[in-house]
mmCIF file of all heavy atoms in Angstrom:
data_model
loop_
_atom_site.group_PDB
_atom_site.id
_atom_site.type_symbol
_atom_site.label_atom_id
_atom_site.label_comp_id
_atom_site.label_asym_id
_atom_site.label_seq_id
_atom_site.Cartn_x
_atom_site.Cartn_y
_atom_site.Cartn_z
ATOM 1 N N GLY B 11 93.875 -16.886 129.393
ATOM 2 C CA GLY B 11 95.044 -16.114 129.020
ATOM 3 C C GLY B 11 94.902 -14.659 129.417
ATOM 4 O O GLY B 11 93.803 -14.147 129.606
ATOM 5 N N ALA B 18 98.520 -8.427 122.287
ATOM 6 C CA ALA B 18 99.818 -8.406 121.603
ATOM 7 C C ALA B 18 99.834 -9.444 120.482
ATOM 8 O O ALA B 18 100.288 -9.173 119.368
ATOM 9 C CB ALA B 18 100.935 -8.690 122.606
ATOM 10 N N ARG B 25 99.467 -7.940 111.693
ATOM 11 C CA ARG B 25 100.580 -7.464 110.876
ATOM 12 C C ARG B 25 101.144 -8.572 109.994
ATOM 13 O O ARG B 25 101.306 -8.395 108.785
ATOM 14 C CB ARG B 25 101.702 -6.925 111.785
ATOM 15 C CG ARG B 25 101.481 -5.525 112.282
ATOM 16 C CD ARG B 25 102.810 -4.920 112.776
ATOM 17 N NE ARG B 25 103.452 -5.752 113.797
ATOM 18 C CZ ARG B 25 103.181 -5.713 115.082
ATOM 19 N NH1 ARG B 25 102.269 -4.887 115.541
ATOM 20 N NH2 ARG B 25 103.826 -6.502 115.940
ATOM 21 N N LYS B 48 105.800 -18.966 121.630
ATOM 22 C CA LYS B 48 104.902 -19.593 120.670
ATOM 23 C C LYS B 48 103.840 -20.416 121.386
ATOM 24 O O LYS B 48 102.668 -20.430 121.007
ATOM 25 C CB LYS B 48 105.728 -20.488 119.741
ATOM 26 C CG LYS B 48 104.938 -21.260 118.709
ATOM 27 C CD LYS B 48 105.906 -21.988 117.790
ATOM 28 C CE LYS B 48 105.259 -23.060 116.947
ATOM 29 N NZ LYS B 48 106.270 -23.806 116.162
ATOM 30 N N SER B 64 89.828 -15.005 113.829
ATOM 31 C CA SER B 64 89.576 -14.093 114.935
ATOM 32 C C SER B 64 90.114 -12.712 114.612
ATOM 33 O O SER B 64 89.434 -11.688 114.779
ATOM 34 C CB SER B 64 90.224 -14.663 116.192
ATOM 35 O OG SER B 64 90.382 -13.650 117.159
ATOM 36 N N PRO B 110 95.903 -0.278 106.295
ATOM 37 C CA PRO B 110 96.476 -1.124 105.244
ATOM 38 C C PRO B 110 96.542 -2.598 105.630
ATOM 39 O O PRO B 110 96.288 -3.453 104.795
ATOM 40 C CB PRO B 110 97.890 -0.551 105.067
ATOM 41 C CG PRO B 110 98.169 0.211 106.308
ATOM 42 C CD PRO B 110 96.858 0.678 106.826
ATOM 43 N N ARG B 117 92.200 -8.967 101.257
ATOM 44 C CA ARG B 117 92.696 -9.619 100.047
ATOM 45 C C ARG B 117 93.002 -11.090 100.305
ATOM 46 O O ARG B 117 92.686 -11.959 99.494
ATOM 47 C CB ARG B 117 93.964 -8.915 99.539
ATOM 48 C CG ARG B 117 93.720 -7.510 99.044
ATOM 49 C CD ARG B 117 94.907 -6.984 98.244
ATOM 50 N NE ARG B 117 96.142 -6.881 99.018
ATOM 51 C CZ ARG B 117 96.476 -5.858 99.774
ATOM 52 N NH1 ARG B 117 95.659 -4.822 99.894
ATOM 53 N NH2 ARG B 117 97.616 -5.839 100.427
ATOM 54 N N THR B 124 87.223 -19.687 98.877
ATOM 55 C CA THR B 124 86.693 -20.973 98.426
ATOM 56 C C THR B 124 87.103 -22.121 99.348
ATOM 57 O O THR B 124 86.550 -23.203 99.255
ATOM 58 C CB THR B 124 87.185 -21.295 97.000
ATOM 59 O OG1 THR B 124 88.587 -21.149 96.954
ATOM 60 C CG2 THR B 124 86.550 -20.347 95.996
ATOM 61 N N LEU B 126 87.110 -21.673 102.674
ATOM 62 C CA LEU B 126 86.561 -21.357 103.989
ATOM 63 C C LEU B 126 85.271 -22.149 104.227
ATOM 64 O O LEU B 126 84.429 -22.238 103.343
ATOM 65 C CB LEU B 126 86.259 -19.859 104.072
ATOM 66 C CG LEU B 126 87.160 -18.967 104.912
ATOM 67 C CD1 LEU B 126 88.617 -19.376 104.790
ATOM 68 C CD2 LEU B 126 87.003 -17.514 104.502
ATOM 69 N N GLN B 157 63.271 15.060 101.505
ATOM 70 C CA GLN B 157 63.085 15.427 100.092
ATOM 71 C C GLN B 157 64.377 15.836 99.413
ATOM 72 O O GLN B 157 64.344 16.487 98.366
ATOM 73 C CB GLN B 157 62.074 16.594 99.951
ATOM 74 C CG GLN B 157 60.843 16.444 100.805
ATOM 75 C CD GLN B 157 59.976 15.266 100.381
ATOM 76 O OE1 GLN B 157 59.968 14.908 99.212
ATOM 77 N NE2 GLN B 157 59.280 14.647 101.320
ATOM 78 N N THR B 175 81.495 5.081 94.192
ATOM 79 C CA THR B 175 82.613 5.741 94.881
ATOM 80 C C THR B 175 83.607 4.714 95.434
ATOM 81 O O THR B 175 84.658 4.483 94.851
ATOM 82 C CB THR B 175 82.100 6.630 96.016
ATOM 83 O OG1 THR B 175 81.309 5.858 96.927
ATOM 84 C CG2 THR B 175 81.240 7.748 95.459
ATOM 85 N N LEU B 190 96.301 4.620 95.331
ATOM 86 C CA LEU B 190 96.133 5.644 94.307
ATOM 87 C C LEU B 190 96.594 6.995 94.859
ATOM 88 O O LEU B 190 96.495 7.252 96.058
ATOM 89 C CB LEU B 190 94.658 5.756 93.923
ATOM 90 C CG LEU B 190 94.014 4.481 93.368
ATOM 91 C CD1 LEU B 190 92.502 4.697 93.189
ATOM 92 C CD2 LEU B 190 94.640 4.096 92.043
ATOM 93 N N GLU B 192 96.345 10.693 95.984
ATOM 94 C CA GLU B 192 95.233 11.387 96.623
ATOM 95 C C GLU B 192 94.360 12.110 95.590
ATOM 96 O O GLU B 192 93.134 12.105 95.667
ATOM 97 C CB GLU B 192 95.770 12.372 97.670
ATOM 98 C CG GLU B 192 94.750 13.285 98.318
ATOM 99 C CD GLU B 192 93.885 12.549 99.342
ATOM 100 O OE1 GLU B 192 94.214 11.391 99.689
ATOM 101 O OE2 GLU B 192 92.861 13.135 99.767
ATOM 102 N N ALA B 211 68.880 12.797 92.766
ATOM 103 C CA ALA B 211 68.411 14.084 93.295
ATOM 104 C C ALA B 211 67.049 14.395 92.673
ATOM 105 O O ALA B 211 66.825 14.124 91.501
ATOM 106 C CB ALA B 211 69.414 15.183 92.968
#
Side-chain angles (χ1 to χ4, degrees):
Chain B
R25 278 198 305 275
K48 178 175 165 185
S64 162
R117 293 194 298 275
T124 51
L126 253 39
Q157 316 294 331
T175 57
L190 301 173
E192 174 75 11

